[in-house]
Amino acid sequence: MHALRLSLIAVVFGATLASAGCAPACDRYCNVTAAYIEHCLAEGTQAEWIAARESGFAYWGYSDATEYEAGCKTDFDAQLGAAEDSSVLTQACEDEANEFALLEDRAQCSELP
C-alpha cells in the first residue's frame, strides 16, 4: 500500500511539473551559476575567487547576479537559435548546472565559471 501511495504521489508531482513548464536547461545553468558565483565571491578562498571578489560580478562583465543571469540567458538563446543540433548545448548546460549546484550545495568554490 505504501509503494502504491508513493507511486501515485510521484505521478501527480510529475504531471504538475510538466504542466508548470520547468525552465530550460540553459536557463537553469544561468540561475545556478549566478548563485554559485554569489556564494563564492563571499566565501571563496582560492586566489582566483579573492581576485574576482574585488570587482564582483564586473569580473564577468556584469553589475550583479540578476544582470549576469539575464546576459547569460540572452547568450544561450542566441547560441541555441543558431545551433544545428541544440541537444548538445542543452545537455552541456544541464551537466554544468548540475556540477555548479553540487559545488554550491557542498559550499565548495573550486573553479570560476
Side-chain angles (χ1 to χ4, degrees):
M1 185 68 166
H2 187 347
L4 177 61
R5 183 177 295 158
L6 288 176
S7 296
L8 289 174
I9 290 171
V11 168
V12 170
F13 182 71
T16 302
L17 283 178
S19 67
C22 295
C26 293
D27 283 356
R28 180 173 171 265
Y29 166 82
C30 295
N31 298 338
V32 167
T33 304
Y36 170 77
I37 291 170
E38 219 164 29
H39 166 77
C40 291
L41 285 173
E43 304 294 329
T45 59
Q46 294 92 333
E48 295 89 357
W49 283 109
I50 292 169
R53 185 177 300 142
E54 292 180 23
S55 58
F57 275 88
Y59 185 89
W60 290 270
Y62 300 99
S63 62
D64 59 20
T66 302
E67 190 177 287
Y68 175 90
E69 284 181 46
C72 178
K73 289 174 184 179
T74 298
D75 289 346
F76 276 115
D77 285 345
Q79 290 180 50
L80 287 166
E84 288 184 32
D85 182 7
S86 63
S87 66
V88 173
L89 182 57
T90 301
Q91 186 61 54
C93 285
E94 187 64 32
D95 293 345
E96 287 295 311
N98 290 339
E99 180 68 26
F100 284 123
L102 181 61
L103 289 171
E104 186 183 4
D105 287 348
R106 292 180 177 171
Q108 293 177 322
C109 299
S110 64
E111 60 186 66
L112 295 174

